[in-house]
Amino acid sequence: MTELDCAPPAFGVYCHVPFCTHRCDYCAFATWTDRSHLIGDYMASCRRQAQELADGMPPVTSVFFGGGTPNLVPPSLLGDLLAELPLARGAEITVECNPDLVTPEQMQAYRDLSVNRISLGVQSAVPHVLDALGRRHDPQMVAASVDAVRRACIGQLNLDLIYGAPTESLTDWKRTLVEAIDLGPDHLSVYGLTPEPGTPLGDDPSRHPDDDEMADKYLLADELLSRAGYEIYEISNWARPGAQCRHNLLYWQQGSYAGIGCAAHSHRGGRRFWSVRTPERFIAAISAGTPPMAGSEELGPDERRVEALQLALRTSIGVPAGAVPDEVEHLLEPAAGGRLRLTARGRLLANEVAVRLGLPSEQ
């Protein structure tokens, strides 16, 4: 029996860090720029929640600190939370970072905490595109951040990119892709800009992206990243062989995970539940010894089956051929094990295909 055969089932922990120095124009996440005075109390509350959840928690195979801006928090506070979790051997530990806050000392502190994956919010390599997105860093900061990650010998590096800003041409996007590839990341997450209601970008129709341009930019990303040796494993995620984000895969495979902090979501056996949205309410609930849960839902067997198909459709694993209606077969191609996966152009219509899955009985 190999070590892989003895590996524990995947179980993830997501910790939401809701603090930022600046709010980007497209951001609709539960984040705040005026509450840094709460960081100490908030992270102490997260640690207390981790202590409570750890009792009976299975070995944790991945931890993801997201936000917000996790590298706005002193590394020692992230370490205090990690110390409460029953981490599996070789657990993947990711910290999302803004390039303008990265320092060599910070990366070394992460390395000392066994952080082995950094996700940098790069978004674009073109200054005027960054301005259009409301980002504050510049491309030089990205190069310096990548160097700091590599010098600290942190195992894997992801770059987050966004296409579709109102001032971004196809040439601008190609420049971003080429420069990102030249930095040599292990993984790239590539997202189309989504106008969210209530954000400066969402509330200004003149800044909304054009669908045809978005399709061209997605196909260009697929072409250039594939040519550079990156393999797509989920609609928006490419990785070097063996460098897929294990925490991401939990979500696409209906895995189990625990959410820590405000607005964090959890999933166990078809039941989803989520915490109160604001840091103040979260701190108050933990201080009072009451669960910070704001709501929950439970999916029945049929709902879980259809959801499993819709999630698998987003991945390179694909879906059983029997789940695919004839009218969308032209958007899929053969995958391993007799399954079908979306073609590059099929991925542009993934939502339309997803709503048609599961209608015929599976064989």
PDB file of all heavy atoms in Angstrom, residues 24 26-27 29 121-125 129-130 133 135 159-165 168 172-173 176-177 189-194 201 209 214 217:
ATOM      1  N   CYS A  24     -11.803  47.736  -4.802  1.00  0.00           N
ATOM      2  CA  CYS A  24     -11.754  47.801  -6.256  1.00  0.00           C
ATOM      3  C   CYS A  24     -13.152  48.042  -6.826  1.00  0.00           C
ATOM      4  O   CYS A  24     -14.162  47.676  -6.220  1.00  0.00           O
ATOM      5  CB  CYS A  24     -11.178  46.506  -6.827  1.00  0.00           C
ATOM      6  SG  CYS A  24      -9.505  46.154  -6.235  1.00  0.00           S
ATOM      7  N   TYR A  26     -14.890  46.697  -9.073  1.00  0.00           N
ATOM      8  CA  TYR A  26     -15.711  45.547  -9.454  1.00  0.00           C
ATOM      9  C   TYR A  26     -16.061  44.661  -8.264  1.00  0.00           C
ATOM     10  O   TYR A  26     -16.789  43.679  -8.412  1.00  0.00           O
ATOM     11  CB  TYR A  26     -14.968  44.695 -10.492  1.00  0.00           C
ATOM     12  CG  TYR A  26     -13.595  44.257 -10.035  1.00  0.00           C
ATOM     13  CD1 TYR A  26     -13.425  43.105  -9.281  1.00  0.00           C
ATOM     14  CD2 TYR A  26     -12.465  45.003 -10.349  1.00  0.00           C
ATOM     15  CE1 TYR A  26     -12.172  42.710  -8.837  1.00  0.00           C
ATOM     16  CE2 TYR A  26     -11.218  44.617  -9.922  1.00  0.00           C
ATOM     17  CZ  TYR A  26     -11.066  43.478  -9.170  1.00  0.00           C
ATOM     18  OH  TYR A  26      -9.827  43.095  -8.730  1.00  0.00           O
ATOM     19  N   CYS A  27     -15.572  44.980  -7.075  1.00  0.00           N
ATOM     20  CA  CYS A  27     -15.658  44.064  -5.941  1.00  0.00           C
ATOM     21  C   CYS A  27     -17.023  44.123  -5.249  1.00  0.00           C
ATOM     22  O   CYS A  27     -17.470  45.191  -4.825  1.00  0.00           O
ATOM     23  CB  CYS A  27     -14.566  44.378  -4.923  1.00  0.00           C
ATOM     24  SG  CYS A  27     -14.613  43.297  -3.476  1.00  0.00           S
ATOM     25  N   PHE A  29     -17.527  41.546  -2.840  1.00  0.00           N
ATOM     26  CA  PHE A  29     -17.297  40.634  -1.729  1.00  0.00           C
ATOM     27  C   PHE A  29     -17.556  41.330  -0.386  1.00  0.00           C
ATOM     28  O   PHE A  29     -17.638  42.563  -0.313  1.00  0.00           O
ATOM     29  CB  PHE A  29     -15.863  40.104  -1.748  1.00  0.00           C
ATOM     30  CG  PHE A  29     -15.557  39.249  -2.951  1.00  0.00           C
ATOM     31  CD1 PHE A  29     -14.418  39.486  -3.705  1.00  0.00           C
ATOM     32  CD2 PHE A  29     -16.383  38.216  -3.325  1.00  0.00           C
ATOM     33  CE1 PHE A  29     -14.127  38.707  -4.813  1.00  0.00           C
ATOM     34  CE2 PHE A  29     -16.101  37.422  -4.419  1.00  0.00           C
ATOM     35  CZ  PHE A  29     -14.970  37.671  -5.172  1.00  0.00           C
ATOM     36  N   GLY A 121      -3.027  38.682  -6.598  1.00  0.00           N
ATOM     37  CA  GLY A 121      -4.061  39.376  -7.358  1.00  0.00           C
ATOM     38  C   GLY A 121      -3.434  40.326  -8.363  1.00  0.00           C
ATOM     39  O   GLY A 121      -3.308  41.527  -8.103  1.00  0.00           O
ATOM     40  N   VAL A 122      -3.049  39.822  -9.513  1.00  0.00           N
ATOM     41  CA  VAL A 122      -2.350  40.609 -10.545  1.00  0.00           C
ATOM     42  C   VAL A 122      -3.353  41.375 -11.399  1.00  0.00           C
ATOM     43  O   VAL A 122      -3.184  42.559 -11.673  1.00  0.00           O
ATOM     44  CB  VAL A 122      -1.489  39.673 -11.425  1.00  0.00           C
ATOM     45  CG1 VAL A 122      -0.886  40.437 -12.599  1.00  0.00           C
ATOM     46  CG2 VAL A 122      -0.399  39.017 -10.585  1.00  0.00           C
ATOM     47  N   GLN A 123      -4.360  40.695 -11.904  1.00  0.00           N
ATOM     48  CA  GLN A 123      -5.461  41.213 -12.720  1.00  0.00           C
ATOM     49  C   GLN A 123      -5.018  41.681 -14.105  1.00  0.00           C
ATOM     50  O   GLN A 123      -5.573  41.260 -15.091  1.00  0.00           O
ATOM     51  CB  GLN A 123      -6.232  42.332 -12.003  1.00  0.00           C
ATOM     52  CG  GLN A 123      -6.501  42.141 -10.527  1.00  0.00           C
ATOM     53  CD  GLN A 123      -7.004  40.768 -10.104  1.00  0.00           C
ATOM     54  OE1 GLN A 123      -7.264  39.908 -10.920  1.00  0.00           O
ATOM     55  NE2 GLN A 123      -7.099  40.530  -8.799  1.00  0.00           N
ATOM     56  N   SER A 124      -4.019  42.570 -14.200  1.00  0.00           N
ATOM     57  CA  SER A 124      -3.570  43.041 -15.509  1.00  0.00           C
ATOM     58  C   SER A 124      -2.114  43.484 -15.416  1.00  0.00           C
ATOM     59  O   SER A 124      -1.638  43.860 -14.338  1.00  0.00           O
ATOM     60  CB  SER A 124      -4.432  44.214 -15.988  1.00  0.00           C
ATOM     61  OG  SER A 124      -3.935  44.745 -17.207  1.00  0.00           O
ATOM     62  N   ALA A 125      -1.428  43.440 -16.563  1.00  0.00           N
ATOM     63  CA  ALA A 125      -0.057  43.946 -16.634  1.00  0.00           C
ATOM     64  C   ALA A 125      -0.005  45.330 -17.276  1.00  0.00           C
ATOM     65  O   ALA A 125       1.076  45.862 -17.519  1.00  0.00           O
ATOM     66  CB  ALA A 125       0.813  42.978 -17.443  1.00  0.00           C
ATOM     67  N   VAL A 129      -5.316  49.705 -17.637  1.00  0.00           N
ATOM     68  CA  VAL A 129      -6.350  48.704 -17.333  1.00  0.00           C
ATOM     69  C   VAL A 129      -6.499  48.564 -15.817  1.00  0.00           C
ATOM     70  O   VAL A 129      -7.612  48.481 -15.295  1.00  0.00           O
ATOM     71  CB  VAL A 129      -6.022  47.354 -17.988  1.00  0.00           C
ATOM     72  CG1 VAL A 129      -7.040  46.290 -17.575  1.00  0.00           C
ATOM     73  CG2 VAL A 129      -5.987  47.500 -19.507  1.00  0.00           C
ATOM     74  N   LEU A 130      -5.376  48.548 -15.120  1.00  0.00           N
ATOM     75  CA  LEU A 130      -5.433  48.506 -13.652  1.00  0.00           C
ATOM     76  C   LEU A 130      -6.200  49.714 -13.116  1.00  0.00           C
ATOM     77  O   LEU A 130      -7.011  49.585 -12.193  1.00  0.00           O
ATOM     78  CB  LEU A 130      -4.020  48.470 -13.072  1.00  0.00           C
ATOM     79  CG  LEU A 130      -3.231  47.178 -13.295  1.00  0.00           C
ATOM     80  CD1 LEU A 130      -1.777  47.366 -12.866  1.00  0.00           C
ATOM     81  CD2 LEU A 130      -3.861  46.021 -12.522  1.00  0.00           C
ATOM     82  N   LEU A 133      -9.877  49.251 -13.442  1.00  0.00           N
ATOM     83  CA  LEU A 133     -10.415  48.295 -12.476  1.00  0.00           C
ATOM     84  C   LEU A 133     -10.411  48.835 -11.049  1.00  0.00           C
ATOM     85  O   LEU A 133     -10.954  48.207 -10.147  1.00  0.00           O
ATOM     86  CB  LEU A 133      -9.588  46.998 -12.514  1.00  0.00           C
ATOM     87  CG  LEU A 133      -9.680  46.168 -13.786  1.00  0.00           C
ATOM     88  CD1 LEU A 133      -8.629  45.057 -13.761  1.00  0.00           C
ATOM     89  CD2 LEU A 133     -11.072  45.581 -13.948  1.00  0.00           C
ATOM     90  N   ARG A 135      -7.576  49.271  -9.355  1.00  0.00           N
ATOM     91  CA  ARG A 135      -6.467  48.624  -8.644  1.00  0.00           C
ATOM     92  C   ARG A 135      -5.388  49.662  -8.338  1.00  0.00           C
ATOM     93  O   ARG A 135      -5.188  50.618  -9.092  1.00  0.00           O
ATOM     94  CB  ARG A 135      -5.869  47.494  -9.477  1.00  0.00           C
ATOM     95  CG  ARG A 135      -6.823  46.362  -9.790  1.00  0.00           C
ATOM     96  CD  ARG A 135      -7.147  45.530  -8.584  1.00  0.00           C
ATOM     97  NE  ARG A 135      -6.006  44.746  -8.115  1.00  0.00           N
ATOM     98  CZ  ARG A 135      -6.030  43.915  -7.094  1.00  0.00           C
ATOM     99  NH1 ARG A 135      -7.152  43.768  -6.393  1.00  0.00           N
ATOM    100  NH2 ARG A 135      -4.970  43.237  -6.730  1.00  0.00           N
ATOM    101  N   LEU A 159      -1.326  33.167 -10.172  1.00  0.00           N
ATOM    102  CA  LEU A 159      -1.618  34.546 -10.541  1.00  0.00           C
ATOM    103  C   LEU A 159      -3.089  34.649 -10.927  1.00  0.00           C
ATOM    104  O   LEU A 159      -3.571  33.873 -11.758  1.00  0.00           O
ATOM    105  CB  LEU A 159      -0.751  34.989 -11.727  1.00  0.00           C
ATOM    106  CG  LEU A 159       0.766  34.896 -11.560  1.00  0.00           C
ATOM    107  CD1 LEU A 159       1.462  35.445 -12.806  1.00  0.00           C
ATOM    108  CD2 LEU A 159       1.248  35.637 -10.312  1.00  0.00           C
ATOM    109  N   ASP A 160      -3.797  35.579 -10.306  1.00  0.00           N
ATOM    110  CA  ASP A 160      -5.185  35.879 -10.682  1.00  0.00           C
ATOM    111  C   ASP A 160      -5.179  36.957 -11.756  1.00  0.00           C
ATOM    112  O   ASP A 160      -4.546  38.019 -11.582  1.00  0.00           O
ATOM    113  CB  ASP A 160      -5.953  36.422  -9.468  1.00  0.00           C
ATOM    114  CG  ASP A 160      -6.602  35.317  -8.648  1.00  0.00           C
ATOM    115  OD1 ASP A 160      -6.546  34.148  -9.064  1.00  0.00           O
ATOM    116  OD2 ASP A 160      -7.164  35.636  -7.585  1.00  0.00           O
ATOM    117  N   LEU A 161      -5.895  36.712 -12.859  1.00  0.00           N
ATOM    118  CA  LEU A 161      -6.023  37.684 -13.938  1.00  0.00           C
ATOM    119  C   LEU A 161      -7.498  37.951 -14.205  1.00  0.00           C
ATOM    120  O   LEU A 161      -8.335  37.063 -14.036  1.00  0.00           O
ATOM    121  CB  LEU A 161      -5.362  37.167 -15.223  1.00  0.00           C
ATOM    122  CG  LEU A 161      -3.905  36.706 -15.144  1.00  0.00           C
ATOM    123  CD1 LEU A 161      -3.444  36.193 -16.512  1.00  0.00           C
ATOM    124  CD2 LEU A 161      -2.998  37.826 -14.654  1.00  0.00           C
ATOM    125  N   ILE A 162      -7.817  39.169 -14.651  1.00  0.00           N
ATOM    126  CA  ILE A 162      -9.191  39.541 -15.010  1.00  0.00           C
ATOM    127  C   ILE A 162      -9.165  40.178 -16.395  1.00  0.00           C
ATOM    128  O   ILE A 162      -8.347  41.062 -16.665  1.00  0.00           O
ATOM    129  CB  ILE A 162      -9.794  40.531 -13.993  1.00  0.00           C
ATOM    130  CG1 ILE A 162     -10.042  39.847 -12.647  1.00  0.00           C
ATOM    131  CG2 ILE A 162     -11.108  41.121 -14.514  1.00  0.00           C
ATOM    132  CD1 ILE A 162     -10.642  40.769 -11.597  1.00  0.00           C
ATOM    133  N   TYR A 163     -10.066  39.717 -17.266  1.00  0.00           N
ATOM    134  CA  TYR A 163     -10.182  40.335 -18.590  1.00  0.00           C
ATOM    135  C   TYR A 163     -11.558  40.974 -18.730  1.00  0.00           C
ATOM    136  O   TYR A 163     -12.524  40.570 -18.095  1.00  0.00           O
ATOM    137  CB  TYR A 163      -9.948  39.306 -19.702  1.00  0.00           C
ATOM    138  CG  TYR A 163     -10.904  38.136 -19.721  1.00  0.00           C
ATOM    139  CD1 TYR A 163     -12.072  38.162 -20.487  1.00  0.00           C
ATOM    140  CD2 TYR A 163     -10.646  36.981 -18.982  1.00  0.00           C
ATOM    141  CE1 TYR A 163     -12.951  37.084 -20.507  1.00  0.00           C
ATOM    142  CE2 TYR A 163     -11.512  35.896 -18.997  1.00  0.00           C
ATOM    143  CZ  TYR A 163     -12.659  35.965 -19.762  1.00  0.00           C
ATOM    144  OH  TYR A 163     -13.530  34.880 -19.766  1.00  0.00           O
ATOM    145  N   GLY A 164     -11.607  42.030 -19.562  1.00  0.00           N
ATOM    146  CA  GLY A 164     -12.894  42.669 -19.838  1.00  0.00           C
ATOM    147  C   GLY A 164     -13.054  44.074 -19.309  1.00  0.00           C
ATOM    148  O   GLY A 164     -14.158  44.628 -19.377  1.00  0.00           O
ATOM    149  N   ALA A 165     -11.987  44.667 -18.770  1.00  0.00           N
ATOM    150  CA  ALA A 165     -12.079  46.054 -18.303  1.00  0.00           C
ATOM    151  C   ALA A 165     -12.454  46.965 -19.476  1.00  0.00           C
ATOM    152  O   ALA A 165     -12.090  46.692 -20.626  1.00  0.00           O
ATOM    153  CB  ALA A 165     -10.753  46.504 -17.692  1.00  0.00           C
ATOM    154  N   GLU A 168      -9.718  47.978 -21.921  1.00  0.00           N
ATOM    155  CA  GLU A 168      -8.769  46.938 -22.307  1.00  0.00           C
ATOM    156  C   GLU A 168      -9.009  46.465 -23.740  1.00  0.00           C
ATOM    157  O   GLU A 168     -10.080  45.955 -24.073  1.00  0.00           O
ATOM    158  CB  GLU A 168      -8.882  45.754 -21.348  1.00  0.00           C
ATOM    159  CG  GLU A 168      -7.916  44.616 -21.662  1.00  0.00           C
ATOM    160  CD  GLU A 168      -8.177  43.414 -20.778  1.00  0.00           C
ATOM    161  OE1 GLU A 168      -9.281  42.816 -20.900  1.00  0.00           O
ATOM    162  OE2 GLU A 168      -7.303  43.086 -19.962  1.00  0.00           O
ATOM    163  N   ASP A 172      -3.979  44.649 -25.290  1.00  0.00           N
ATOM    164  CA  ASP A 172      -3.675  44.797 -23.858  1.00  0.00           C
ATOM    165  C   ASP A 172      -3.761  43.444 -23.156  1.00  0.00           C
ATOM    166  O   ASP A 172      -2.906  43.089 -22.332  1.00  0.00           O
ATOM    167  CB  ASP A 172      -4.673  45.755 -23.189  1.00  0.00           C
ATOM    168  CG  ASP A 172      -4.499  47.201 -23.611  1.00  0.00           C
ATOM    169  OD1 ASP A 172      -3.370  47.581 -23.972  1.00  0.00           O
ATOM    170  OD2 ASP A 172      -5.510  47.935 -23.576  1.00  0.00           O
ATOM    171  N   TRP A 173      -4.826  42.699 -23.451  1.00  0.00           N
ATOM    172  CA  TRP A 173      -5.034  41.405 -22.806  1.00  0.00           C
ATOM    173  C   TRP A 173      -3.927  40.422 -23.196  1.00  0.00           C
ATOM    174  O   TRP A 173      -3.434  39.676 -22.361  1.00  0.00           O
ATOM    175  CB  TRP A 173      -6.412  40.872 -23.151  1.00  0.00           C
ATOM    176  CG  TRP A 173      -6.732  39.510 -22.618  1.00  0.00           C
ATOM    177  CD1 TRP A 173      -7.186  38.443 -23.325  1.00  0.00           C
ATOM    178  CD2 TRP A 173      -6.642  39.065 -21.250  1.00  0.00           C
ATOM    179  NE1 TRP A 173      -7.386  37.354 -22.502  1.00  0.00           N
ATOM    180  CE2 TRP A 173      -7.061  37.711 -21.217  1.00  0.00           C
ATOM    181  CE3 TRP A 173      -6.257  39.676 -20.058  1.00  0.00           C
ATOM    182  CZ2 TRP A 173      -7.093  36.957 -20.046  1.00  0.00           C
ATOM    183  CZ3 TRP A 173      -6.284  38.924 -18.881  1.00  0.00           C
ATOM    184  CH2 TRP A 173      -6.692  37.593 -18.874  1.00  0.00           C
ATOM    185  N   THR A 176      -0.944  41.164 -21.121  1.00  0.00           N
ATOM    186  CA  THR A 176      -1.083  40.635 -19.764  1.00  0.00           C
ATOM    187  C   THR A 176      -0.775  39.145 -19.730  1.00  0.00           C
ATOM    188  O   THR A 176      -0.046  38.658 -18.855  1.00  0.00           O
ATOM    189  CB  THR A 176      -2.500  40.905 -19.235  1.00  0.00           C
ATOM    190  OG1 THR A 176      -2.652  42.308 -19.006  1.00  0.00           O
ATOM    191  CG2 THR A 176      -2.761  40.164 -17.926  1.00  0.00           C
ATOM    192  N   LEU A 177      -1.329  38.396 -20.666  1.00  0.00           N
ATOM    193  CA  LEU A 177      -1.107  36.957 -20.706  1.00  0.00           C
ATOM    194  C   LEU A 177       0.361  36.616 -20.923  1.00  0.00           C
ATOM    195  O   LEU A 177       0.929  35.761 -20.239  1.00  0.00           O
ATOM    196  CB  LEU A 177      -1.966  36.319 -21.799  1.00  0.00           C
ATOM    197  CG  LEU A 177      -3.470  36.291 -21.546  1.00  0.00           C
ATOM    198  CD1 LEU A 177      -4.221  35.956 -22.828  1.00  0.00           C
ATOM    199  CD2 LEU A 177      -3.804  35.280 -20.451  1.00  0.00           C
ATOM    200  N   SER A 189      -5.414  31.666 -12.574  1.00  0.00           N
ATOM    201  CA  SER A 189      -6.869  31.766 -12.525  1.00  0.00           C
ATOM    202  C   SER A 189      -7.260  32.965 -13.376  1.00  0.00           C
ATOM    203  O   SER A 189      -6.772  34.079 -13.139  1.00  0.00           O
ATOM    204  CB  SER A 189      -7.352  31.960 -11.084  1.00  0.00           C
ATOM    205  OG  SER A 189      -7.012  30.838 -10.290  1.00  0.00           O
ATOM    206  N   VAL A 190      -8.106  32.734 -14.376  1.00  0.00           N
ATOM    207  CA  VAL A 190      -8.420  33.752 -15.378  1.00  0.00           C
ATOM    208  C   VAL A 190      -9.929  33.974 -15.380  1.00  0.00           C
ATOM    209  O   VAL A 190     -10.695  33.097 -15.786  1.00  0.00           O
ATOM    210  CB  VAL A 190      -7.934  33.306 -16.774  1.00  0.00           C
ATOM    211  CG1 VAL A 190      -8.260  34.361 -17.818  1.00  0.00           C
ATOM    212  CG2 VAL A 190      -6.428  33.023 -16.747  1.00  0.00           C
ATOM    213  N   TYR A 191     -10.353  35.153 -14.939  1.00  0.00           N
ATOM    214  CA  TYR A 191     -11.772  35.425 -14.756  1.00  0.00           C
ATOM    215  C   TYR A 191     -12.252  36.553 -15.664  1.00  0.00           C
ATOM    216  O   TYR A 191     -11.565  37.565 -15.828  1.00  0.00           O
ATOM    217  CB  TYR A 191     -12.048  35.830 -13.298  1.00  0.00           C
ATOM    218  CG  TYR A 191     -11.636  34.786 -12.291  1.00  0.00           C
ATOM    219  CD1 TYR A 191     -10.579  35.005 -11.417  1.00  0.00           C
ATOM    220  CD2 TYR A 191     -12.299  33.556 -12.226  1.00  0.00           C
ATOM    221  CE1 TYR A 191     -10.192  34.047 -10.496  1.00  0.00           C
ATOM    222  CE2 TYR A 191     -11.929  32.592 -11.305  1.00  0.00           C
ATOM    223  CZ  TYR A 191     -10.868  32.843 -10.454  1.00  0.00           C
ATOM    224  OH  TYR A 191     -10.488  31.873  -9.538  1.00  0.00           O
ATOM    225  N   GLY A 192     -13.423  36.377 -16.231  1.00  0.00           N
ATOM    226  CA  GLY A 192     -14.050  37.458 -16.964  1.00  0.00           C
ATOM    227  C   GLY A 192     -14.669  38.457 -16.002  1.00  0.00           C
ATOM    228  O   GLY A 192     -15.249  38.073 -14.977  1.00  0.00           O
ATOM    229  N   LEU A 193     -14.542  39.720 -16.329  1.00  0.00           N
ATOM    230  CA  LEU A 193     -15.086  40.777 -15.475  1.00  0.00           C
ATOM    231  C   LEU A 193     -16.611  40.682 -15.435  1.00  0.00           C
ATOM    232  O   LEU A 193     -17.271  40.628 -16.470  1.00  0.00           O
ATOM    233  CB  LEU A 193     -14.655  42.143 -16.012  1.00  0.00           C
ATOM    234  CG  LEU A 193     -15.044  43.362 -15.181  1.00  0.00           C
ATOM    235  CD1 LEU A 193     -14.381  43.324 -13.814  1.00  0.00           C
ATOM    236  CD2 LEU A 193     -14.662  44.641 -15.926  1.00  0.00           C
ATOM    237  N   THR A 194     -17.167  40.650 -14.228  1.00  0.00           N
ATOM    238  CA  THR A 194     -18.610  40.543 -14.044  1.00  0.00           C
ATOM    239  C   THR A 194     -19.135  41.807 -13.369  1.00  0.00           C
ATOM    240  O   THR A 194     -18.721  42.123 -12.255  1.00  0.00           O
ATOM    241  CB  THR A 194     -18.964  39.324 -13.166  1.00  0.00           C
ATOM    242  OG1 THR A 194     -18.440  38.140 -13.771  1.00  0.00           O
ATOM    243  CG2 THR A 194     -20.465  39.198 -13.003  1.00  0.00           C
ATOM    244  N   LEU A 201     -18.565  49.677 -10.926  1.00  0.00           N
ATOM    245  CA  LEU A 201     -18.562  49.134 -12.271  1.00  0.00           C
ATOM    246  C   LEU A 201     -19.946  48.631 -12.659  1.00  0.00           C
ATOM    247  O   LEU A 201     -20.436  48.889 -13.760  1.00  0.00           O
ATOM    248  CB  LEU A 201     -17.545  48.003 -12.389  1.00  0.00           C
ATOM    249  CG  LEU A 201     -17.461  47.407 -13.797  1.00  0.00           C
ATOM    250  CD1 LEU A 201     -16.056  47.537 -14.345  1.00  0.00           C
ATOM    251  CD2 LEU A 201     -17.875  45.953 -13.785  1.00  0.00           C
ATOM    252  N   PRO A 209     -18.562  45.029 -19.971  1.00  0.00           N
ATOM    253  CA  PRO A 209     -17.829  44.419 -21.080  1.00  0.00           C
ATOM    254  C   PRO A 209     -18.754  43.942 -22.192  1.00  0.00           C
ATOM    255  O   PRO A 209     -19.930  43.637 -21.975  1.00  0.00           O
ATOM    256  CB  PRO A 209     -17.106  43.243 -20.421  1.00  0.00           C
ATOM    257  CG  PRO A 209     -17.896  42.931 -19.202  1.00  0.00           C
ATOM    258  CD  PRO A 209     -18.475  44.226 -18.737  1.00  0.00           C
ATOM    259  N   MET A 214     -15.379  39.570 -24.888  1.00  0.00           N
ATOM    260  CA  MET A 214     -15.073  38.656 -23.793  1.00  0.00           C
ATOM    261  C   MET A 214     -14.783  37.260 -24.327  1.00  0.00           C
ATOM    262  O   MET A 214     -13.848  36.577 -23.872  1.00  0.00           O
ATOM    263  CB  MET A 214     -16.234  38.608 -22.804  1.00  0.00           C
ATOM    264  CG  MET A 214     -16.472  39.910 -22.062  1.00  0.00           C
ATOM    265  SD  MET A 214     -15.190  40.302 -20.859  1.00  0.00           S
ATOM    266  CE  MET A 214     -15.760  39.336 -19.453  1.00  0.00           C
ATOM    267  N   LYS A 217     -11.335  37.158 -25.881  1.00  0.00           N
ATOM    268  CA  LYS A 217     -10.272  37.195 -24.869  1.00  0.00           C
ATOM    269  C   LYS A 217     -10.140  35.858 -24.155  1.00  0.00           C
ATOM    270  O   LYS A 217      -9.029  35.424 -23.841  1.00  0.00           O
ATOM    271  CB  LYS A 217     -10.540  38.337 -23.879  1.00  0.00           C
ATOM    272  CG  LYS A 217     -10.310  39.715 -24.497  1.00  0.00           C
ATOM    273  CD  LYS A 217     -10.709  40.854 -23.578  1.00  0.00           C
ATOM    274  CE  LYS A 217     -10.476  42.198 -24.267  1.00  0.00           C
ATOM    275  NZ  LYS A 217     -10.903  43.339 -23.433  1.00  0.00           N
TER     276      LYS A 217
END
